[in-house]
Amino acid sequence: MTYKTILVHIDETERSDLRVKFAAQLATKEEAHLIGTAVTGVSRFIYQDGNISASDPNLMIHLKFLRERAEKAVASFETVVRQTSLQSFESSIANDEAGGSIGLQARYSDLVVIGQTNPDEPSPSVLPDFPEYIVMNAGRPAVIIPYAGDFPSIGKRPLISWDASREATRAVTDALPLLKQADLVQVAIFNPKKNPGAHGEQPGADIALYLARHGVKVEVSVHTTHTDVGNALLSLSHDLDSDLLVMGGYGHSRFREMIMGGVTRTILESMTVPVFMSH
């Protein structure tokens, strides 16, 4: 598997440039096409139904403001990308909120790069559950960049959270292009005795062999924790100086409401390193 189309959500925040730099660097390595998409936050259904009236000056001023924000994000995206050696890229503006537009466009991409929700920086175009929505609905793996922290490298020292589940399997498979480029991949298994049938006699041996056959340099560690696994995973990533956490995303959606598993929710709320997540 390779990434040939990478989608990155762009906006007017400072963290947008960090997402673009990572996406552009990865696209260059993969010889991929990069798409930077900004959203206005105006539902596409309003345009389709013709419910926007030019006679309402306040509404038109607000729509112009939203459009200008998106245009600034596009201009910044193009400036950042042109400073790299990436040759194949494009930008676009979607009249919709981020979940709907990025979620749909992601289905025509191999990987989507988005940002963690910052509760102190609300956006008119991005709903608070945006990362959860993309992971659960896009059908594509997502790299989620935290809203705080510096990350000189992303993916040189990944940490895989392995529980032998379908979601974790999907994440490992989707992340293979990144894992193959890593200096060393750590695989962490928490409380394997809770599911002995999935892990076998030697927890981690099978997934390590699978990765090794793909040319991935890997080490396995087994841990027992009586606290929240999500927090234990974040603590381990700090101890190992990991620069990417690879894991399955657990949960489901009920209409727009995201009902997430405990570990997934903890990571999305408290991540301290970029997270590669698949559902």
Side-chain angles (χ1 to χ4, degrees):
M1 176 185 177
T2 58
Y3 305 137
K4 289 304 178 185
T5 305
I6 298 174
L7 172 66
V8 57
H9 170 234
I10 57 177
D11 55 25
E12 71 290 348
T13 64
E14 293 183 3
R15 305 301 285 185
S16 180
D17 285 354
L18 180 61
R19 297 196 296 270
V20 173
K21 289 177 182 177
F22 165 73
Q25 290 170 357
L26 182 58
T28 300
K29 291 178 181 178
E30 293 289 309
E31 298 182 348
H33 181 69
L34 178 63
I35 304 171
T37 297
V39 298
T40 62
V42 180
S43 173
R44 63 186 181 277
F45 298 110
I46 295 179
Y47 283 94
Q48 292 171 357
D49 294 342
N51 291 330
I52 293 180
S53 173
S55 62
D56 186 340
N58 292 326
L59 176 59
M60 299 310 294
I61 289 172
H62 184 60
L63 293 177
K64 181 181 178 182
F65 166 73
L66 294 175
R67 182 76 185 187
E68 288 175 347
R69 281 165 56 101
E71 289 173 349
K72 288 180 180 178
V74 165
S76 180
F77 165 81
E78 293 178 350
T79 297
V80 172
V81 174
R82 288 195 176 100
Q83 294 172 352
T84 72
S85 58
L86 182 64
Q87 298 299 312
S88 181
F89 64 91
E90 65 179 286
S91 59
S92 65
I93 296 176
N95 286 313
D96 202 353
E97 54 87 25
S101 57
I102 300 297
L104 178 60
Q105 198 170 2
R107 293 173 186 170
Y108 305 98
S109 307
D110 297 304
L111 179 71
V112 56
V113 181
I114 60 178
Q116 179 193 20
T117 298
N118 184 349
D120 296 325
E121 193 175 19
S123 168
S125 61
V126 182
L127 297 179
D129 68 346
F130 173 53
E132 296 95 318
Y133 186 87
I134 293 300
V135 170
M136 292 295 111
N137 292 278
R140 289 290 185 263
V143 173
I144 307 162
I145 307 296
Y147 64 75
D150 297 321
F151 310 104
S153 69
I154 298 177
K156 292 295 184 182
R157 301 175 305 280
L159 172 63
I160 297 173
S161 175
W162 179 250
D163 61 1
S165 66
R166 183 193 69 83
E167 289 83 356
T169 302
R170 184 75 266 160
V172 169
T173 304
D174 289 341
L176 275 175
L178 278 167
L179 300 178
K180 290 178 180 180
Q181 298 175 15
D183 296 334
L184 177 64
V185 175
Q186 300 276 355
V187 176
I189 302 171
F190 287 89
N191 303 330
K193 291 183 178 179
K194 290 186 176 181
N195 191 14
H199 292 288
E201 294 182 5
Q202 188 176 352
D206 292 334
I207 188 62
L209 182 59
Y210 169 81
L211 290 170
R213 285 173 176 155
H214 280 279
V216 176
K217 187 177 180 180
V218 58
E219 290 183 354
V220 176
S221 59
V222 178
H223 307 267
T224 300
T225 180
H226 301 290
T227 61
D228 176 68
V229 172
N231 285 314
L233 188 58
L234 290 174
S235 177
L236 180 62
S237 70
H238 178 268
D239 293 342
L240 296 175
D241 196 26
S242 304
D243 60 1
L244 181 68
L245 178 59
V246 178
M247 62 180 290
Y250 304 86
H252 63 278
S253 60
R254 185 175 61 198
F255 299 104
R256 178 66 201 226
E257 181 185 6
M258 297 296 109
I259 304 172
M260 310 303 291
V263 176
T264 305
R265 182 173 59 251
T266 296
I267 297 300
L268 289 175
E269 291 177 352
S270 307
M271 64 175 67
T272 51
V273 296
V275 175
F276 184 107
M277 190 174 287
S278 290
H279 176 66

